[in-house]
Amino acid sequence: MQYKSGALILLFFSTFFSFAQEMQGKFSKEVTTIVTLNYILQLPDNQKEKFPLLLFLHGSGERGTNLELVKSHSPFTYKNLIQAPVAILAPQCPENVWWDTTAIYELIKETIAKYNIDTSRIYLTGLSMGGWGTWKLACEHPELFAAIAPVCGPVDVTTLVDAPKLTMPIRIYHGALDDVVLVTESIEMHQELKKENKQSELIIFPNDNHNSWDSTYSNPEFYKWLLSQRKK
């Protein structure tokens, strides 16, 4: 019996050590995905020359499938203030998620390919969750935009780290009384940008809470400034 017990113990340790292996390797595989976004695109009338593109990203309250919501609280509301021909592109974020910037980027490329877009005059703005999307998309593709204008947008650590990538003209808008996204987030981002980018401006509305988008988009000077920017 003693010999058999020893054999069992030896078998146990042999089995245990047979799994104690370290493997190193490299995995590589191309993965393709399908991205889907509903959107509104308004094109200028009877425009034969190339025209600029204004991309607008809405906030969390306009997510879903009702595209009419996308026009709320946006440049669409004040398009009578836009004096120059411009295309306005506004995708809609699905419910219960935040912006997929990969999908937005593919939508922009498709729009450029199909229409007579002046690629030196592509502009990006968004409010609240769309402000966050503005920061994220601009950091991922800074070469794409002539100017950006985030409105009361949250700022995360990645955005702060990527701030040096943003060398284009920037205007940041925020309400001083905002209790949803604190104005300190825009202040901190502006301070990071100013280290390298002298074209960054911070506009704080002293009496605005989270809704600083009406003060932003109802001002004709906003569109005058934005549409005057060109990529060098």
Side-chain angles (χ1 to χ4, degrees):
M1 293 294 292
Q2 187 175 4
Y3 173 79
K4 291 181 180 180
S5 298
L8 288 173
I9 293 171
L10 180 62
L11 177 62
F12 171 78
F13 279 104
S14 176
T15 302
F16 175 79
F17 283 113
S18 67
F19 289 98
Q21 301 179 44
E22 179 178 307
M23 299 179 65
Q24 297 184 2
K26 183 177 181 180
F27 175 76
S28 178
K29 183 177 181 179
E30 182 179 351
V31 178
T32 58
T33 60
I34 297 175
V35 292
T36 303
L37 278 177
N38 295 327
Y39 66 89
I40 294 175
L41 175 63
Q42 288 190 358
L43 298 170
D45 292 330
N46 304 318
Q47 185 67 22
K48 296 180 181 179
E49 302 296 325
K50 286 184 176 293
F51 46 83
L53 176 66
L54 172 57
L55 177 67
F56 168 70
L57 303 181
H58 63 71
S60 60
E62 291 73 59
R63 290 177 291 187
T65 57
N66 181 359
L67 271 172
E68 287 302 308
L69 290 176
V70 172
K71 297 180 182 179
S72 306
H73 324 301
S74 74
F76 289 110
T77 309
Y78 303 101
K79 62 182 180 180
N80 62 303
L81 301 177
I82 306 175
Q83 299 301 313
V86 60
I88 304 177
L89 174 63
Q92 185 172 38
C93 186
E95 288 182 331
N96 303 318
V97 297
W98 279 45
W99 284 109
D100 179 349
T101 49
T102 299
I104 300 171
Y105 178 61
E106 293 300 323
L107 175 60
I108 295 171
K109 290 199 299 181
E110 182 77 7
T111 304
I112 292 171
K114 291 176 65 175
Y115 301 99
N116 200 22
I117 304 297
D118 182 350
T119 55
S120 71
R121 300 178 69 198
I122 299 177
Y123 311 107
L124 173 60
T125 187
L127 62 89
S128 194
M129 182 187 75
W132 171 86
T134 296
W135 287 125
K136 187 172 187 293
L137 183 60
C139 286
E140 292 170 350
H141 302 283
E143 76 291 344
L144 189 60
F145 301 105
I148 66 171
V151 182
C152 61
V155 174
D156 55 34
V157 174
T158 301
T159 306
L160 291 169
V161 170
D162 287 343
K165 297 179 181 179
L166 303 179
T167 59
M168 74 287 285
I170 299 172
R171 283 191 177 179
I172 308 166
Y173 297 86
H174 217 119
L177 307 179
D178 195 332
D179 58 359
V180 177
V181 179
L182 298 182
V183 68
T184 51
E185 297 199 31
S186 286
I187 293 172
E188 186 177 8
M189 184 62 182
H190 177 61
Q191 290 172 341
E192 285 298 315
L193 287 166
K194 290 296 289 182
K195 294 176 182 179
E196 301 291 339
N197 187 348
K198 303 306 179 185
Q199 300 182 90
S200 175
E201 300 179 58
L202 175 62
I203 295 92
I204 297 176
F205 302 108
N207 300 316
D208 282 1
N209 198 300
H210 190 48
N211 179 2
S212 51
W213 47 82
D214 281 335
S215 295
T216 301
Y217 296 138
S218 66
N219 186 349
E221 198 275 335
F222 170 78
Y223 304 102
K224 182 178 178 181
W225 167 81
L226 194 67
L227 296 175
S228 70
Q229 309 303 321
R230 291 180 180 270
K231 283 196 303 182
K232 297 181 180 178

